Amino acid sequence: GESVGLHLPTLSVQEGDNSIINCAYSNSASDYFIWYKQESGKGPQFIIDIRSNMDKRQGQRVTVLLNKTVKHLSLQIAATQPGDSAVYFCAENANTGNQFYFGTGTSLTVIP
Amino acid sequence: GAVVSQHPSRVICKSGTSVKIECRSLDFQATTMFWYRQFPKQSLMLMATSNEGSKATYEQGVEKDKFLINHASLTLSTLTVTSAHPEDSSFYICSAPARGRQYTDTQYFGPGTRLTVL
């Protein structure tokens, strides 16, 4: 899989609502996935990861769902807060040298 | 968590000059590191894999003579943008795999370097 250099889709949610961010990955051989949060002018920050032997994993306020059949990942953020405003990327790894390839990303804006 | 640093955080240079960006793993060793480039409002694009003690592996379409990578130690990789031009202006980010709490080889990213070529 390769990174996609498209312009970011956007998502706006009200503070306190739940957010769902979606990602379609490209390589059916990918077996490890990470969601990253990137704030403006900063490097990506690890949020949560999941391996392909799982279809759901929960963290603090975040849940990642993996559907290998349709090569789809989602990140659910519960009770979204203004501090969650950022760009979110999924990244996939096919365990062939630790290279990670990033999806398009989604810009999340939380409305107070 | 593991910490990866980059230096400088911002650099402005004249067209035709070369710029070196450093990536360091601060509390762990990394035999491989990765360099990404990110244009405004776009995703991260993997440029190359930096291998300690051997040649870097470049992604398709990335000019190896343009983007020189040196991984001289287990904690330092450098990216040199040679003969930089305005189109090379971008946000350059490095990452290194480190053992995560539950999974191995989780990627940790540096804070990025903003390169502006005049």
Side-chain angles (χ1 to χ4, degrees), chain A residues 26-98:
Chain A
S26 56
N27 188 352
S28 57
S30 292
D31 61 358
Y32 180 43
F33 306 88
I34 302 178
W35 276 102
Y36 287 97
K37 172 185 180 182
Q38 186 181 30
E39 296 175 334
S40 181
K42 297 183 179 179
Q45 176 186 0
F46 175 95
I47 300 175
I48 191 168
D49 57 1
I50 189 168
R51 284 212 179 268
S52 58
N53 61 351
M54 302 176 71
D55 53 22
K56 180 179 180 179
R57 187 155 184 246
Q58 287 185 293
Q60 187 177 14
R61 278 204 309 122
V62 294
T63 301
V64 55
L65 299 178
L66 173 62
N67 185 330
K68 295 180 289 294
T69 303
V70 295
K71 292 188 288 186
H72 183 268
L73 274 167
S74 69
L75 176 70
Q76 300 177 3
I77 304 174
T80 315
Q81 302 167 1
D84 294 327
S85 294
V87 178
Y88 290 82
F89 294 99
C90 69
E92 60 181 301
N93 170 255
N95 197 28
T96 55
N98 282 327

Side-chain angles (χ1 to χ4, degrees), chain B residues 84-103:
Chain B
H85 291 283
E87 57 266 29
D88 299 322
S89 299
S90 189
F91 194 48
Y92 291 87
I93 309 172
C94 70
S95 73
R99 191 168 297 268
R101 288 189 299 274
Q102 187 166 347
Y103 296 126

Side-chain angles (χ1 to χ4, degrees), chain B residues 10-23:
Chain B
R10 290 178 179 270
V11 57
I12 301 173
C13 70
K14 293 181 179 180
S15 184
T17 60
S18 295
V19 175
K20 180 186 284 188
I21 303 170
E22 294 183 349
C23 177

Side-chain angles (χ1 to χ4, degrees), chain A residues 3-8 32 36 38 41-44 46 49 51 54 57 89 97-104, chain B residues 32 34 36 38 41-46 49 59-60 91 93 97 102-107 109-111 114:
Chain A
S3 307
V4 180
L6 302 176
H7 288 276
L8 299 170
Y32 180 43
Y36 287 97
Q38 186 181 30
K42 297 183 179 179
F46 175 95
D49 57 1
R51 284 212 179 268
M54 302 176 71
R57 187 155 184 246
F89 294 99
N98 282 327
Q99 286 91 350
F100 278 80
Y101 295 94
F102 280 70
T104 306
Chain B
T32 57
F34 302 95
Y36 293 81
Q38 185 179 32
K41 298 191 182 302
Q42 293 191 16
S43 185
L44 282 75
M45 296 186 67
L46 179 64
T49 302
E59 294 297 301
Q60 191 173 5
F91 194 48
I93 309 172
Q102 187 166 347
Y103 296 126
T104 60
D105 299 336
T106 298
Q107 290 284 328
F109 283 82
R114 173 76 60 193

Side-chain angles (χ1 to χ4, degrees), chain B residues 60-105:
Chain B
Q60 191 173 5
V62 178
E63 301 174 59
K64 61 180 181 180
D65 295 329
K66 171 77 172 176
F67 300 99
L68 300 179
I69 291 173
N70 185 14
H71 196 146
S73 77
L74 287 170
T75 59
L76 174 63
S77 174
T78 60
L79 169 68
T80 301
V81 183
T82 62
S83 186
H85 291 283
E87 57 266 29
D88 299 322
S89 299
S90 189
F91 194 48
Y92 291 87
I93 309 172
C94 70
S95 73
R99 191 168 297 268
R101 288 189 299 274
Q102 187 166 347
Y103 296 126
T104 60
D105 299 336

